[in-house]
Amino acid sequence: MARTIHIIGAGLAGLSAALRLSARGERVVVHEATAVAGGRCRSYHDASVGMVIDNGNHLLLSGNRAALDYLRGIGAEHGLIGPPAAQFPFVDLSSRERWTLAFNDGRLPVWIFDRRRRAPGTRALDYLALARLLWPPAGKTVGDIIACDGAVYARLIEPLVLAALNIDPPQASAKLAAAVIRETLAAGGRACRPLIARDGLGATLIEPALAALRERGAVVRLEHQLRGFRFADGRVEALDFGAETIALAAADAVILAVPPYAAAALIRGLEAPNQFRAIVNGHFRIAPPAGQPPILGVLNGTVQWIFAFPGRLSVTISAGDRLLDTSREALAKMTWAEVASVTGLPPELPPWQIVRERRATFAATPAQEVKRPRAETAWRNLFLAGDWTDTGLPATIEGAIRSGNRAAGLVTGR
Ligand SMILES: Cc1cc2nc3c(=O)[nH]c(=O)nc-3n(C[C@H](O)[C@H](O)[C@H](O)COP(=O)(O)OP(=O)(O)OC[C@H]3O[C@@H](n4cnc5c(N)ncnc54)[C@H](O)[C@@H]3O)c2cc1C
């Protein structure tokens, strides 16, 4: 009888592992605790705004090769939209200046030498800070490596690190910031095109994956939460789902693709990141004004990014922990006031929703970075996946998908 690979968790890590394995003809069963797949990357119908929204705005870059590969594999790459070139419009709420960072395609950063392409108030030499961040020594923060002040910091490095690592940059792991810079900015504009899911995360990243899995005969069991493992003889012997226990045959394997706090509760003694950072998103039901770019960076405000979708404007605030005790109404008013001032839309609050993900990502500090486990475990048929495992990347879609691919490769011995 063919073996079965059990995947626990239907976030992007679990789904990518399931897709890889089912494509190789393996029999796959995905067990997801909640009623929907997608984990931290999901869409839902929201009654306050009366439309389908994402739990949070997710940005991909054209250099996210595993994510693009995943999308191609499920036939959904056309669901991503973005400008044809690597351009990032910005507005500074203090000075009211507006500009567009426009990276050139090749690896040689010609844009740094062009006043019209770089951030105002910066000189080409100031960008050496980026080179210092490329190969930092282990265990350092961004603040240990560069001075966290000046225009290049405020207008490029701070927004980039905040968005990619979801943490105030002075505390951020320099190693993780370096990994992002090497795969994006240092790889040239071709790797930096911003991409968003036009029809939402669910329609683009999740539903086509579920359809592909179904087509290949994989089973996805929703509302099927793993309660515990039974270990024996150096392997997982059975999976305990409460009402049901599944005994594993000798060749069966398990990929645990749940968040770190869930994994630590299931595996006693597992070292895993245990500090987190929040992301706050505000969604406003209103047509974006003509000419509003799909993604706009905002400096010196509470809002950091404004995303424009058909019939909706959405804002993102990374490392938003300081806002967790602010009322949702106050947050909606505060963020809408900024959006209205940037877009010229009326100050009256449109229908809104505020979504706060308290544990959006693990805290990308050097101390948490060393707690990230490898995919292999002490049990020969149990492998870990998830954006928090030791991917070398911050907690991102790209990291989650790479972790799933890696765990799938270990299961098949590739
Ligand atoms: C608001 C927000 C904005 C973000 N923005 C970006 C962005 O712009 N770009 C980017 O690249 N990344 C972004 N991210 C990060 C990205 O969403 C995550 O890195 C990625 O989705 C993590 O996937 P995962 O599969 O590792 O984990 P998860 O998505 O957490 O999936 C784990 C799954 O396991 C399930 N589970 C838990 N316990 C059990 C159990 N016992 N049994 C069965 N199932 C269980 C959970 O229900 C969940 O479905 C953002 C995240 C948030 C929250």
Side-chain angles (χ1 to χ4, degrees):
M1 198 177 74
R3 65 172 175 171
T4 301
I5 316 298
H6 294 275
I7 296 175
I8 316 299
L12 285 170
L15 291 176
S16 56
L19 286 164
R20 279 277 162 112
L21 290 164
S22 58
R24 286 181 197 148
E26 298 277 1
R27 190 156 65 183
V28 170
V29 182
V30 182
H31 307 268
E32 164 56 42
T34 68
V36 288
R40 278 169 282 156
C41 182
R42 64 185 187 282
S43 308
Y44 68 99
H45 186 270
D46 185 274
S48 305
V49 288
M51 60 204 309
V52 173
I53 59 175
D54 296 331
N55 65 317
N57 302 311
H58 280 59
L59 181 67
L60 283 169
L61 293 178
S62 47
N64 293 154
R65 56 177 191 274
L68 294 184
D69 225 40
Y70 167 99
L71 284 162
R72 272 190 293 272
I74 56 175
E77 71 274 31
H78 304 298
L80 290 184
I81 51 157
Q87 295 188 345
F88 291 83
F90 275 93
V91 55
D92 185 330
L93 284 182
S94 298
S95 65
R96 310 306 295 185
E97 285 167 285
R98 287 181 186 254
W99 67 93
T100 297
L101 288 179
F103 309 127
N104 56 289
D105 272 355
R107 277 180 182 270
L108 193 69
V110 178
W111 63 276
I112 287 174
F113 301 96
D114 186 339
R115 206 185 278 274
R116 287 159 309 172
R117 287 172 158 241
R118 65 182 186 228
T122 64
R123 296 164 309 168
L125 264 185
D126 302 337
Y127 289 82
L128 275 179
L130 279 176
R132 279 207 297 283
L133 269 177
L134 273 178
W135 299 102
K140 300 288 185 194
T141 62
V142 168
D144 291 332
I145 306 290
I146 59 161
C148 292
D149 56 22
V152 163
Y153 174 75
R155 296 185 160 184
L156 175 64
I157 297 174
E158 186 178 37
L160 171 75
V161 173
L162 255 176
L165 274 67
N166 188 31
I167 188 167
D168 287 326
Q171 309 163 9
S173 154
K175 181 182 149 199
L176 292 178
V180 171
I181 294 171
R182 284 199 302 271
E183 295 203 6
T184 56
L185 279 184
R190 250 182 240 114
C192 299
R193 272 183 59 223
L195 298 167
I196 54 177
R198 182 195 51 218
D199 303 322
L201 299 170
T204 309
L205 284 130
I206 309 302
E207 282 147 32
L210 295 175
L213 288 175
R214 264 195 307 272
E215 208 167 282
R216 293 173 196 167
V219 175
V220 179
R221 297 185 65 178
L222 300 174
E223 298 185 275
H224 205 231
Q225 180 177 357
L226 183 71
R227 309 278 171 181
F229 289 110
R230 217 163 64 211
F231 296 112
D233 303 327
R235 60 183 284 274
V236 178
E237 180 187 69
L239 300 173
D240 171 9
F241 292 94
E244 183 188 359
T245 299
I246 298 179
L248 300 194
D252 290 354
V254 183
I255 295 177
L256 183 64
V258 301
Y261 42 87
L266 288 162
I267 303 178
R268 206 176 311 139
L270 176 72
E271 192 166 40
N274 54 5
Q275 291 177 7
F276 301 89
R277 289 292 183 274
I279 298 181
V280 178
N281 279 267
H283 305 278
F284 302 98
R285 183 184 179 135
I286 193 163
Q292 178 71 19
I295 305 155
L296 175 66
V298 182
L299 301 184
N300 289 313
T302 299
V303 166
Q304 293 157 357
W305 299 93
I306 301 176
F307 289 73
F309 297 97
R312 172 165 63 93
L313 286 167
S314 289
V315 302
T316 292
I317 304 156
S318 294
D321 301 75
R322 68 189 182 289
L323 302 174
L324 291 178
D325 295 330
T326 308
S327 76
R328 290 163 13 83
E329 289 71 18
L331 276 175
K333 283 185 189 147
M334 187 196 310
T335 54
W336 178 254
E338 292 183 0
V339 175
S341 96
V342 164
T343 57
L345 286 166
E348 292 76 36
L349 194 55
W352 58 272
Q353 181 57 279
I354 297 286
V355 183
R356 292 186 275 211
E357 293 269 5
R358 285 167 190 271
R359 292 188 284 193
T361 66
F362 74 89
T365 62
Q368 291 287 297
E369 168 69 10
V370 294
K371 289 178 182 281
R372 300 174 80 181
R374 295 157 56 87
E376 299 91 335
T377 69
W379 299 277
R380 63 180 177 278
N381 62 346
L382 175 61
F383 303 91
L384 301 176
D387 62 355
W388 55 279
T389 58
D390 190 12
T391 63
L393 291 178
T396 51
I397 291 176
E398 178 70 9
I401 291 175
R402 281 194 207 175
S403 78
N405 292 346
R406 163 126 185 91
L410 287 168
V411 166
T412 53
R414 292 186 197 204

